[in-house]
PDB file of all heavy atoms in Angstrom:
ATOM      1  N   ARG X   9      -1.356  12.898  -3.760  1.00 39.00           N
ATOM      2  CA  ARG X   9      -2.264  12.087  -4.556  1.00 39.00           C
ATOM      3  C   ARG X   9      -1.663  10.696  -4.653  1.00 39.00           C
ATOM      4  O   ARG X   9      -0.582  10.513  -5.202  1.00 39.00           O
ATOM      5  CB  ARG X   9      -2.436  12.678  -5.961  1.00 39.00           C
ATOM      6  CG  ARG X   9      -3.501  11.938  -6.780  1.00 39.00           C
ATOM      7  CD  ARG X   9      -3.597  12.515  -8.191  1.00 39.00           C
ATOM      8  NE  ARG X   9      -4.584  11.833  -8.978  1.00 39.00           N
ATOM      9  CZ  ARG X   9      -5.848  12.171  -9.059  1.00 39.00           C
ATOM     10  NH1 ARG X   9      -6.272  13.189  -8.376  1.00 39.00           N
ATOM     11  NH2 ARG X   9      -6.698  11.490  -9.807  1.00 39.00           N
ATOM     12  N   PRO X  10      -2.325   9.653  -4.078  1.00 39.00           N
ATOM     13  CA  PRO X  10      -1.748   8.331  -4.047  1.00 39.00           C
ATOM     14  C   PRO X  10      -1.716   7.685  -5.424  1.00 39.00           C
ATOM     15  O   PRO X  10      -2.519   7.978  -6.296  1.00 39.00           O
ATOM     16  CB  PRO X  10      -2.676   7.555  -3.104  1.00 39.00           C
ATOM     17  CG  PRO X  10      -3.965   8.280  -3.173  1.00 39.00           C
ATOM     18  CD  PRO X  10      -3.628   9.728  -3.411  1.00 39.00           C
ATOM     19  N   ALA X  79      -6.480  -2.348  -1.512  1.00 81.00           N
ATOM     20  CA  ALA X  79      -7.322  -2.044  -2.674  1.00 81.00           C
ATOM     21  C   ALA X  79      -7.483  -3.242  -3.593  1.00 81.00           C
ATOM     22  O   ALA X  79      -8.563  -3.472  -4.147  1.00 81.00           O
ATOM     23  CB  ALA X  79      -6.738  -0.856  -3.439  1.00 81.00           C
ATOM     24  N   SER X  83     -11.125  -4.444  -4.515  1.00 78.00           N
ATOM     25  CA  SER X  83     -11.541  -4.266  -5.907  1.00 78.00           C
ATOM     26  C   SER X  83     -11.976  -5.594  -6.509  1.00 78.00           C
ATOM     27  O   SER X  83     -12.882  -5.643  -7.342  1.00 78.00           O
ATOM     28  CB  SER X  83     -10.401  -3.662  -6.728  1.00 78.00           C
ATOM     29  OG  SER X  83     -10.091  -2.367  -6.256  1.00 78.00           O
ATOM     30  N   SER X  88     -20.383  -3.417  -7.267  1.00 87.00           N
ATOM     31  CA  SER X  88     -21.216  -2.232  -7.085  1.00 87.00           C
ATOM     32  C   SER X  88     -21.420  -1.519  -8.405  1.00 87.00           C
ATOM     33  O   SER X  88     -20.721  -1.771  -9.386  1.00 87.00           O
ATOM     34  CB  SER X  88     -20.574  -1.278  -6.066  1.00 87.00           C
ATOM     35  OG  SER X  88     -19.297  -0.876  -6.511  1.00 87.00           O
ATOM     36  N   LEU X  90     -21.428   1.987  -8.634  1.00 95.00           N
ATOM     37  CA  LEU X  90     -20.620   3.205  -8.676  1.00 95.00           C
ATOM     38  C   LEU X  90     -19.575   3.265  -7.571  1.00 95.00           C
ATOM     39  O   LEU X  90     -18.381   3.384  -7.841  1.00 95.00           O
ATOM     40  CB  LEU X  90     -21.539   4.430  -8.579  1.00 95.00           C
ATOM     41  CG  LEU X  90     -20.856   5.804  -8.568  1.00 95.00           C
ATOM     42  CD1 LEU X  90     -20.157   6.056  -9.901  1.00 95.00           C
ATOM     43  CD2 LEU X  90     -21.880   6.896  -8.286  1.00 95.00           C
ATOM     44  N   ILE X  91     -20.036   3.169  -6.333  1.00 96.00           N
ATOM     45  CA  ILE X  91     -19.137   3.333  -5.199  1.00 96.00           C
ATOM     46  C   ILE X  91     -18.246   2.106  -5.050  1.00 96.00           C
ATOM     47  O   ILE X  91     -18.733   0.997  -4.860  1.00 96.00           O
ATOM     48  CB  ILE X  91     -19.932   3.589  -3.907  1.00 96.00           C
ATOM     49  CG1 ILE X  91     -20.671   4.920  -4.017  1.00 96.00           C
ATOM     50  CG2 ILE X  91     -19.019   3.580  -2.688  1.00 96.00           C
ATOM     51  CD1 ILE X  91     -21.607   5.213  -2.867  1.00 96.00           C
ATOM     52  N   GLY X  92     -16.938   2.331  -5.142  1.00 93.00           N
ATOM     53  CA  GLY X  92     -16.000   1.224  -5.032  1.00 93.00           C
ATOM     54  C   GLY X  92     -15.494   0.715  -6.356  1.00 93.00           C
ATOM     55  O   GLY X  92     -14.712  -0.243  -6.393  1.00 93.00           O
ATOM     56  N   LYS X  93     -15.910   1.337  -7.451  1.00 90.00           N
ATOM     57  CA  LYS X  93     -15.353   0.957  -8.749  1.00 90.00           C
ATOM     58  C   LYS X  93     -13.860   1.262  -8.794  1.00 90.00           C
ATOM     59  O   LYS X  93     -13.098   0.597  -9.483  1.00 90.00           O
ATOM     60  CB  LYS X  93     -16.084   1.689  -9.888  1.00 90.00           C
ATOM     61  CG  LYS X  93     -17.467   1.139 -10.207  1.00 90.00           C
ATOM     62  CD  LYS X  93     -17.385  -0.277 -10.731  1.00 90.00           C
ATOM     63  CE  LYS X  93     -18.751  -0.792 -11.170  1.00 90.00           C
ATOM     64  NZ  LYS X  93     -18.661  -2.187 -11.670  1.00 90.00           N
ATOM     65  N   LYS X  94     -13.455   2.296  -8.052  1.00 92.00           N
ATOM     66  CA  LYS X  94     -12.040   2.602  -7.894  1.00 92.00           C
ATOM     67  C   LYS X  94     -11.749   2.706  -6.412  1.00 92.00           C
ATOM     68  O   LYS X  94     -12.416   3.452  -5.687  1.00 92.00           O
ATOM     69  CB  LYS X  94     -11.669   3.915  -8.589  1.00 92.00           C
ATOM     70  CG  LYS X  94     -10.194   4.286  -8.443  1.00 92.00           C
ATOM     71  CD  LYS X  94      -9.840   5.528  -9.246  1.00 92.00           C
ATOM     72  CE  LYS X  94      -8.354   5.851  -9.153  1.00 92.00           C
ATOM     73  NZ  LYS X  94      -7.993   7.041  -9.967  1.00 92.00           N
ATOM     74  N   ILE X  95     -10.773   1.930  -5.933  1.00 92.00           N
ATOM     75  CA  ILE X  95     -10.403   1.929  -4.527  1.00 92.00           C
ATOM     76  C   ILE X  95      -8.901   2.149  -4.415  1.00 92.00           C
ATOM     77  O   ILE X  95      -8.119   1.509  -5.114  1.00 92.00           O
ATOM     78  CB  ILE X  95     -10.795   0.605  -3.838  1.00 92.00           C
ATOM     79  CG1 ILE X  95     -12.307   0.367  -3.957  1.00 92.00           C
ATOM     80  CG2 ILE X  95     -10.369   0.616  -2.374  1.00 92.00           C
ATOM     81  CD1 ILE X  95     -12.759  -0.986  -3.439  1.00 92.00           C
ATOM     82  N   ILE X  96      -8.527   3.059  -3.535  1.00 91.00           N
ATOM     83  CA  ILE X  96      -7.113   3.343  -3.285  1.00 91.00           C
ATOM     84  C   ILE X  96      -6.845   3.084  -1.816  1.00 91.00           C
ATOM     85  O   ILE X  96      -7.567   3.590  -0.946  1.00 91.00           O
ATOM     86  CB  ILE X  96      -6.771   4.798  -3.647  1.00 91.00           C
ATOM     87  CG1 ILE X  96      -6.940   5.013  -5.150  1.00 91.00           C
ATOM     88  CG2 ILE X  96      -5.348   5.152  -3.217  1.00 91.00           C
ATOM     89  CD1 ILE X  96      -6.919   6.459  -5.561  1.00 91.00           C
ATOM     90  N   MET X 111      -8.144  14.981  -4.114  1.00 97.00           N
ATOM     91  CA  MET X 111      -8.386  14.247  -5.352  1.00 97.00           C
ATOM     92  C   MET X 111      -9.628  14.761  -6.070  1.00 97.00           C
ATOM     93  O   MET X 111      -9.637  14.893  -7.299  1.00 97.00           O
ATOM     94  CB  MET X 111      -8.522  12.754  -5.046  1.00 97.00           C
ATOM     95  CG  MET X 111      -7.225  12.093  -4.594  1.00 97.00           C
ATOM     96  SD  MET X 111      -7.470  10.375  -4.056  1.00 97.00           S
ATOM     97  CE  MET X 111      -8.076   9.646  -5.580  1.00 97.00           C
ATOM     98  N   GLU X 116     -11.078  13.840  -9.671  1.00 97.00           N
ATOM     99  CA  GLU X 116     -11.317  12.404  -9.508  1.00 97.00           C
ATOM    100  C   GLU X 116     -12.803  12.086  -9.665  1.00 97.00           C
ATOM    101  O   GLU X 116     -13.677  12.839  -9.244  1.00 97.00           O
ATOM    102  CB  GLU X 116     -10.833  11.942  -8.138  1.00 97.00           C
ATOM    103  CG  GLU X 116     -10.956  10.446  -7.918  1.00 97.00           C
ATOM    104  CD  GLU X 116     -10.163   9.639  -8.930  1.00 97.00           C
ATOM    105  OE1 GLU X 116      -8.929   9.778  -8.974  1.00 97.00           O
ATOM    106  OE2 GLU X 116     -10.797   8.887  -9.704  1.00 97.00           O
ATOM    107  N   ALA X 117     -13.100  10.966 -10.291  1.00 96.00           N
ATOM    108  CA  ALA X 117     -14.479  10.589 -10.607  1.00 96.00           C
ATOM    109  C   ALA X 117     -15.286  10.235  -9.364  1.00 96.00           C
ATOM    110  O   ALA X 117     -14.743   9.814  -8.338  1.00 96.00           O
ATOM    111  CB  ALA X 117     -14.481   9.412 -11.579  1.00 96.00           C
ATOM    112  N   GLU X 118     -16.580  10.387  -9.491  1.00 97.00           N
ATOM    113  CA  GLU X 118     -17.504  10.017  -8.422  1.00 97.00           C
ATOM    114  C   GLU X 118     -17.393   8.524  -8.133  1.00 97.00           C
ATOM    115  O   GLU X 118     -17.234   7.703  -9.029  1.00 97.00           O
ATOM    116  CB  GLU X 118     -18.934  10.363  -8.844  1.00 97.00           C
ATOM    117  CG  GLU X 118     -19.973  10.082  -7.769  1.00 97.00           C
ATOM    118  CD  GLU X 118     -21.368  10.513  -8.162  1.00 97.00           C
ATOM    119  OE1 GLU X 118     -21.774  10.211  -9.303  1.00 97.00           O
ATOM    120  OE2 GLU X 118     -22.042  11.148  -7.346  1.00 97.00           O
ATOM    121  N   GLY X 119     -17.496   8.197  -6.854  1.00 97.00           N
ATOM    122  CA  GLY X 119     -17.476   6.801  -6.449  1.00 97.00           C
ATOM    123  C   GLY X 119     -16.124   6.289  -6.007  1.00 97.00           C
ATOM    124  O   GLY X 119     -16.023   5.178  -5.478  1.00 97.00           O
ATOM    125  N   ALA X 120     -15.058   7.078  -6.195  1.00 97.00           N
ATOM    126  CA  ALA X 120     -13.728   6.661  -5.763  1.00 97.00           C
ATOM    127  C   ALA X 120     -13.689   6.560  -4.243  1.00 97.00           C
ATOM    128  O   ALA X 120     -14.277   7.380  -3.539  1.00 97.00           O
ATOM    129  CB  ALA X 120     -12.666   7.634  -6.255  1.00 97.00           C
ATOM    130  N   VAL X 121     -12.981   5.548  -3.749  1.00 97.00           N
ATOM    131  CA  VAL X 121     -12.894   5.285  -2.311  1.00 97.00           C
ATOM    132  C   VAL X 121     -11.427   5.317  -1.885  1.00 97.00           C
ATOM    133  O   VAL X 121     -10.574   4.709  -2.530  1.00 97.00           O
ATOM    134  CB  VAL X 121     -13.496   3.905  -1.964  1.00 97.00           C
ATOM    135  CG1 VAL X 121     -13.346   3.614  -0.472  1.00 97.00           C
ATOM    136  CG2 VAL X 121     -14.958   3.838  -2.383  1.00 97.00           C
ATOM    137  N   ILE X 122     -11.142   6.007  -0.795  1.00 96.00           N
ATOM    138  CA  ILE X 122      -9.798   6.034  -0.221  1.00 96.00           C
ATOM    139  C   ILE X 122      -9.871   5.396   1.151  1.00 96.00           C
ATOM    140  O   ILE X 122     -10.673   5.805   2.001  1.00 96.00           O
ATOM    141  CB  ILE X 122      -9.253   7.480  -0.110  1.00 96.00           C
ATOM    142  CG1 ILE X 122      -9.074   8.101  -1.499  1.00 96.00           C
ATOM    143  CG2 ILE X 122      -7.906   7.479   0.610  1.00 96.00           C
ATOM    144  CD1 ILE X 122     -10.310   8.728  -2.068  1.00 96.00           C
ATOM    145  N   SER X 149     -12.971   7.221   2.961  1.00 97.00           N
ATOM    146  CA  SER X 149     -13.667   8.399   2.448  1.00 97.00           C
ATOM    147  C   SER X 149     -14.090   8.128   1.020  1.00 97.00           C
ATOM    148  O   SER X 149     -13.350   7.501   0.247  1.00 97.00           O
ATOM    149  CB  SER X 149     -12.767   9.637   2.505  1.00 97.00           C
ATOM    150  OG  SER X 149     -12.416   9.948   3.839  1.00 97.00           O
ATOM    151  N   LEU X 260     -19.451  -0.923   1.508  1.00 96.00           N
ATOM    152  CA  LEU X 260     -19.422  -0.209   0.233  1.00 96.00           C
ATOM    153  C   LEU X 260     -20.584  -0.631  -0.663  1.00 96.00           C
ATOM    154  O   LEU X 260     -21.176   0.199  -1.354  1.00 96.00           O
ATOM    155  CB  LEU X 260     -18.089  -0.449  -0.477  1.00 96.00           C
ATOM    156  CG  LEU X 260     -16.862   0.177   0.209  1.00 96.00           C
ATOM    157  CD1 LEU X 260     -15.589  -0.188  -0.554  1.00 96.00           C
ATOM    158  CD2 LEU X 260     -16.994   1.690   0.330  1.00 96.00           C
TER     159      LEU X 260
END
Side-chain angles (χ1 to χ4, degrees):
R9 186 183 180 90
S83 296
S88 60
L90 178 65
I91 295 174
K93 284 295 185 181
K94 180 175 183 178
I95 301 174
I96 295 168
M111 291 173 62
E116 184 60 62
E118 183 176 46
V121 178
I122 295 85
S149 297
L260 292 177

